[in-house]
Amino acid sequence: MASSSSPSHLHLFILFFAIAASSLLSTATSSRASPADTAVGGIAAKVYNKVCDATRFAGLGLNMTEFRYCDASLPYADRVRDLIGRMTVEEKVGALGDWTDGAARIGLPAYRWWSEALHGLSSTGPTTKFDDLATPHLHSGVSAVYNATVFANVINSAASFNETLWKSIGQAVSTEARAMYNMGKGGLTYWSPNINVVRDPRWGRALETPGEDPYVVGRYAVNFVRGMQDIPGHEAVAAGGDPNTRPLKTSACCKHYAAYDLDDWHNHTRFEFDARVDERDMVETFQRPFEMCVRDGDVSSVMCSYNRVNGIPACADARLLSQTIRRDWGLHGYIVSDCDAVRVMTDNATWLGYTGAEASAAALKAGLDLDCGESWKNDTEGHPLMDFLTTYGMEAVNKGKMRESDIDNALTNQYMTLMRLGYFDDITQYSSLGRQDICTDQHKTLALDGARQGIVLLKNDNKLLPLDANKVGFVNVRGPHVQAPEKIMDGDYTGPPCRYVTPRQGVSKYVRFSHRANTTIYFGGLNLNIEREGNDREDILLPKNQTEEIIRVAKASPNPIILVILSGGGIDVSFAQNNPKIGAILWAGYPGGEGGNAIADVIFGKHNPSGRLPLTWFKNKYIYQLPMTSMDLRPVAKHGYPGRTYKFYNGPDVLYPFGYGLSYTKFLYEMGTNGTALTVPVAGGHCKKLSYKSGVSSAAPACPAINVNGHACTETVSFNVSVTNGGDTGGSHPVIVFSKPPAEVDDAPIKQVVAFRSVFVPAWSTVSVSFELNVCKAFGIVEKTAYTVVPSGVSTVLVENVDSSVSFPVKISFSV
């Protein structure tokens, strides 16, 4: 067809085809400047890095100097006001979906918002486009990109308890993202990370998250977001400055807000589920990671979830969105719906019998700024799907359901974010990034190191591991994941990896294989057919055929075997833990493209395992004691429901507790303090009541607790932990600090993580680790009233691992 086209039509076709691969590019009115090699059939087409490029405007027959929104000397707010002021109401409505229409008459190109970067650049969504290795002839003369760095899944990274690692991964991903953007193959806005707390061990998306502790999840969010967004020298604004103008490397998005952790369980789906949550659990567990992400991470976007919360769809709840995220926490950015969450209000939840126009208006007025639809897909009849707000927005305006000013507010939040990203002006320090900055040796090394840090040693009888490759010589490898394909090792929300190493390939770098060997390694576990988005688990067991095969293999082996488990969520492997013929168990999660090397490095001792479980691994009978639909974290006595997570469950059905993890050595703790006492002055009116256990005889003090929100919270408790490596193998070790509330306080957490740090300790050496705990943050608990308070009495600081435990009391009293 190209041969029969006129030159002008051919040029337009080339531009359209080239920029169709990127969410940031329009057709012939592309927003991209600074040429990069993009071509179709070997013919180069110009790519633009910014909207405000005089050449691009001239190509549209426009004079850029006439458009104040392109005047870089003006404040962002003035420029955005000018841009929105030039748009018709129809053009504004067209900008409310994730695949915007743009407005060519004023120089505004189309933009695609939806990109994913959960643990590396993902091909999920319409924006990030990798080239196809099967058709290299189409990329002649083009900067073709076939892959990107695929890091271990988030649950693996969380097991490292290493904040430096988390931030480094974000920095690497954002560098590759910016490089893809420069080549017209990717976007600037990424809807990652997933920071929902894993409340139930059956949840199918545990692999995507940092685990079950709200504080750990929140710290992961802060570090990953900072890695994705922060530009050196611009980590914060100057005193008195406007945080809405802080430049961003890429835009991250903390999702899915709020109380979302059920996908599809016994006919309860995320589209229809109403999460009945009490206010204490909302503050203490479901909202805390998001609050940390916004307040401490300064994330530029939050995604609301499909489910309802106490009867109201999360994406139409003004209290959750406008009041909490934007006003109380101070979001500097935009709020986006999970994809088709607004449509779900009418098609699935049938909330209040709302029409499409009414649901669209309700969401926008509640604080939603952008509607993610699936406009890049077709429905079952082959018709293009449409974003809900762009479909029903004009009807909502015409029927008086929605004000044009509501749309202006949403677009202001959108375009301010794009201004900060350099979408209109470019960010020069990243302009030169390109193909050479993707899959670098540095990034592949980081992926390998991250995967190794996340592996957890669960069992090691008689020091079976590490294996000595010189002594072993040959091994027998068995199990369904010996040559696990990319989709198993990489997990979900992924793109093609720089290179892919199977477990067998990793082991082959150390030893040869033989079915008659004395040492057997069995690679088993789960896959995305069992646990994934949209699919919760029926039980927390291995597939029955695997369990039976493992037992047979172990029985037949002359020596105890090694079991390597690939999974996101925990698995009841009691049969293996209790079987003396299974000598060692490793959990490797879904370790990414470098996973095979990482597993082998741990098995053969090149890396001393240091991971600690970010999830409680329950025994299977635990799940029969309560349904997934029960949102309570604390035990529910009237139903006989046990508590959830390590913070509220203290029963017998735990196989491996939160924070569990062995090493090839022993790490022993010592502290130099026997305790401390604090008397905190309190301003009048800030004392709060405290719930005490029945039977507590001592009278409550005059000030039982203080309200954290009304206190300056400057008091701290400092201490050192000496970590001694009692063996001949050096290694990293995550030191996890817990606090325990006073014993007399009712319904408080058993303990809670308040700090952690990963340190390397050489063989037979001691390292001192310093901690400074803010009293409000470390000793605060959430009362039944949903106030966060610091209780008077004796709290405890606890540091423990499998081999060692130390603690000291902290007596807190208040003077009024």
Side-chain angles (χ1 to χ4, degrees):
M1 293 180 62
S3 60
S4 61
S5 301
S6 67
S8 60
H9 287 165
L10 175 61
H11 177 67
L12 288 175
F13 171 76
I14 292 169
L15 277 175
F16 176 79
F17 191 97
I19 61 186
S22 170
S23 66
L24 303 179
L25 306 177
S26 67
T27 55
T29 63
S30 167
S31 67
R32 313 292 303 272
S34 294
D37 291 333
T38 300
V40 178
I43 303 176
K46 187 164 185 176
V47 181
Y48 292 90
N49 281 5
K50 61 183 180 181
V51 171
C52 296
D53 182 279
T55 304
R56 193 186 71 81
F57 270 75
L60 297 171
L62 301 173
N63 182 351
M64 192 182 78
T65 61
E66 297 176 359
F67 296 86
R68 295 183 75 246
Y69 77 82
C70 279
D71 185 347
S73 69
L74 296 176
Y76 286 166
D78 291 351
R79 297 173 64 184
V80 168
R81 192 177 303 112
D82 176 73
L83 172 60
I84 296 173
R86 294 173 183 272
M87 299 171 71
T88 66
V89 65
E90 291 82 5
E91 289 168 340
K92 293 176 182 179
V93 168
L96 292 175
D98 69 280
W99 194 327
T100 68
D101 293 337
R105 64 178 189 85
I106 60 171
L108 181 67
Y111 180 74
R112 302 180 199 174
W113 288 86
W114 182 4
S115 301
E116 301 281 356
L118 183 67
H119 55 112
L121 297 183
S122 170
S123 51
T124 301
T127 305
T128 304
K129 297 296 182 183
F130 294 99
D131 295 299
D132 189 353
L133 275 170
T135 56
H137 60 283
L138 294 179
H139 317 302
S140 174
V142 180
S143 293
V145 179
Y146 302 107
N147 41 37
T149 308
V150 175
F151 295 90
N153 277 256
V154 176
I155 196 68
N156 294 67
S157 296
S160 72
F161 286 86
N162 186 343
E163 296 189 72
T164 301
L165 172 67
W166 301 341
K167 187 173 182 179
S168 296
I169 290 173
Q171 290 169 331
V173 172
S174 59
T175 293
E176 297 195 356
R178 202 82 201 195
M180 289 287 279
Y181 167 79
N182 288 342
M183 293 182 285
K185 299 175 184 294
L188 291 174
T189 46
Y190 288 83
W191 294 345
S192 303
N194 180 341
I195 60 167
N196 295 109
V197 171
V198 181
R199 172 185 56 91
D200 191 287
R202 290 163 287 195
W203 190 33
R205 300 188 77 171
L207 70 157
E208 300 177 32
T209 76
E212 73 181 25
D213 180 85
Y215 176 77
V216 175
V217 173
R219 290 306 304 167
Y220 178 89
V222 169
N223 283 278
F224 182 81
V225 166
R226 287 289 181 180
M228 287 287 289
Q229 294 192 162
D230 283 0
I231 295 174
H234 299 278
E235 293 86 355
V237 294
D242 181 3
N244 286 298
T245 63
R246 185 173 76 91
L248 303 173
K249 185 180 180 184
T250 59
S251 170
C253 173
C254 283
K255 64 184 185 183
H256 313 79
Y257 178 81
Y260 163 62
D261 53 11
L262 179 150
D263 271 63
D264 190 349
W265 181 81
H266 289 197
N267 297 319
H268 297 280
T269 73
R270 57 183 175 169
F271 306 122
E272 300 165 345
F273 182 57
D274 185 6
R276 293 287 173 170
V277 185
D278 70 36
E279 290 298 326
R280 174 162 58 175
D281 283 341
M282 279 295 287
V283 172
E284 182 178 56
T285 298
F286 298 113
Q287 288 184 321
R288 190 180 187 193
F290 290 92
E291 181 177 7
M292 294 171 69
C293 184
V294 175
R295 288 186 185 272
D296 302 332
D298 195 24
V299 74
S300 53
S301 179
V302 172
M303 176 182 284
C304 54
S305 52
Y306 293 111
N307 56 288
R308 286 172 285 169
V309 179
N310 298 326
I312 304 174
C315 290
D317 192 331
R319 182 173 174 233
L320 288 179
L321 305 187
S322 292
Q323 177 179 321
T324 302
I325 297 178
R326 195 168 294 284
R327 190 187 74 188
D328 296 347
W329 299 344
L331 174 71
H332 309 122
Y334 68 99
I335 299 174
V336 61
S337 72
D338 204 341
C339 295
D340 282 333
V342 182
R343 184 188 302 273
V344 161
M345 294 181 203
T346 62
D347 291 4
N348 299 82
T350 58
W351 183 56
L352 300 180
Y354 270 10
T355 64
E358 290 169 330
S360 298
L364 203 70
K365 289 191 287 187
L368 189 72
D369 300 310
L370 183 69
D371 172 30
C372 174
E374 305 242 15
S375 55
W376 56 289
K377 291 183 178 180
N378 293 332
D379 62 20
T380 53
E381 298 179 355
H383 302 124
L385 294 171
M386 297 296 291
D387 296 319
F388 215 60
L389 282 180
T390 57
T391 300
Y392 292 101
M394 282 308 304
E395 180 184 344
V397 171
N398 291 334
K399 289 185 175 180
K401 306 290 184 183
M402 182 165 65
R403 299 180 182 182
E404 187 175 355
S405 61
D406 296 328
I407 305 175
D408 292 347
N409 290 336
L411 296 188
T412 297
N413 294 326
Q414 290 184 27
Y415 290 130
M416 285 294 285
T417 304
L418 291 178
M419 283 281 179
R420 297 170 64 193
L421 286 163
Y423 175 72
F424 289 90
D425 304 321
D426 198 14
I427 296 180
T428 13
Q429 68 194 88
Y430 299 123
S431 295
S432 62
L433 294 177
R435 182 173 56 183
Q436 72 279 2
D437 300 291
I438 300 172
C439 287
T440 63
D441 289 343
Q442 180 183 11
H443 290 178
K444 286 183 285 190
T445 298
L446 180 63
L448 173 60
D449 186 46
R452 290 190 298 209
Q453 289 189 45
I455 293 175
V456 181
L457 180 62
L458 300 175
K459 179 181 180 181
N460 196 24
D461 286 356
N462 301 315
K463 296 185 178 180
L464 176 57
L465 292 178
L467 298 180
D468 185 329
N470 294 323
K471 292 181 179 178
V472 171
F474 296 87
V475 298
N476 181 16
V477 289
R478 301 285 297 274
H481 293 339
V482 168
Q483 302 203 69
E486 288 180 20
K487 197 60 178 173
I488 291 176
M489 297 287 279
D490 292 352
D492 213 352
Y493 282 89
T494 184
C498 306
R499 62 185 178 195
Y500 172 65
V501 183
T502 68
R504 181 185 173 91
Q505 289 170 330
V507 171
S508 71
K509 295 180 180 180
Y510 288 92
V511 292
R512 291 182 289 174
F513 301 108
S514 171
H515 292 298
R516 294 185 296 274
N518 289 328
T519 301
T520 297
I521 308 173
Y522 188 98
F523 293 92
L526 308 180
N527 57 45
L528 297 189
N529 293 321
I530 297 173
E531 55 175 352
R532 69 177 187 280
E533 180 178 5
N535 190 72
D536 296 321
R537 295 158 66 185
E538 291 297 313
D539 57 43
I540 51 175
L541 298 170
L542 279 175
K544 185 179 179 181
N545 62 336
Q546 275 193 51
T547 301
E548 293 171 346
E549 183 181 32
I550 292 168
I551 293 171
R552 286 196 306 270
V553 170
K555 185 177 181 180
S557 175
N559 295 317
I561 71 169
I562 299 157
L563 173 61
V564 179
I565 298 171
L566 302 183
S567 74
I571 304 174
D572 182 358
V573 288
S574 300
F575 77 94
Q577 179 65 28
N578 299 328
N579 189 336
K581 290 300 297 289
I582 300 172
I585 305 174
L586 282 172
W587 174 73
Y590 295 115
E594 297 290 330
N597 285 332
I599 294 169
D601 286 349
V602 170
I603 289 175
F604 292 95
K606 183 176 182 179
H607 179 83
N608 188 353
S610 57
R612 299 182 66 175
L613 291 177
L615 292 170
T616 301
W617 279 35
F618 290 97
K619 297 175 183 177
N620 193 55
K621 57 184 176 181
Y622 170 83
I623 67 171
Y624 296 109
Q625 301 174 50
L626 76 174
M628 275 195 78
T629 50
S630 171
M631 299 297 293
D632 297 277
L633 274 295
R634 289 165 174 79
V636 184
K638 66 180 179 180
H639 297 306
Y641 296 164
R644 294 183 180 276
T645 78
Y646 80 94
K647 292 176 66 174
F648 301 106
Y649 180 77
N650 197 24
D653 297 327
V654 171
L655 178 61
Y656 304 118
F658 174 90
Y660 180 88
L662 303 174
S663 170
Y664 293 154
T665 185
K666 291 183 182 295
F667 293 101
L668 307 176
Y669 300 146
E670 289 184 357
M671 282 187 183
T673 178
N674 294 319
T676 187
L678 293 171
T679 300
V680 180
V682 182
H686 294 305
C687 289
K688 292 294 179 184
K689 291 183 178 180
L690 195 62
S691 299
Y692 291 103
K693 293 177 180 176
S694 60
V696 174
S697 57
S698 59
C703 186
I706 59 166
N707 179 9
V708 166
N709 290 335
H711 186 67
C713 291
T714 57
E715 297 82 9
T716 60
V717 172
S718 299
F719 60 96
N720 295 326
V721 180
S722 294
V723 185
T724 298
N725 184 338
D728 59 3
T729 304
S732 294
H733 178 66
V735 181
I736 304 177
V737 181
F738 299 89
S739 72
K740 298 175 68 173
E744 65 271 17
V745 178
D746 189 36
D747 238 7
I750 299 166
K751 61 182 179 181
Q752 56 189 0
V753 177
V754 294
F756 53 90
R757 187 166 302 142
S758 181
V759 295
F760 183 85
V761 187
W764 307 113
S765 299
T766 299
V767 171
S768 180
V769 187
S770 300
F771 292 96
E772 183 178 56
L773 304 181
N774 178 278
V775 168
C776 289
K777 293 180 179 179
F779 301 104
I781 60 174
V782 182
E783 250 290 325
K784 293 177 182 177
T785 59
Y787 274 119
T788 300
V789 301
V790 176
S792 63
V794 179
S795 293
T796 303
V797 171
L798 171 68
V799 183
E800 61 181 354
N801 63 27
V802 174
D803 298 309
S804 185
S805 177
V806 292
S807 64
F808 66 90
V810 178
K811 185 177 181 180
I812 301 175
S813 57
F814 306 110
S815 62
V816 181

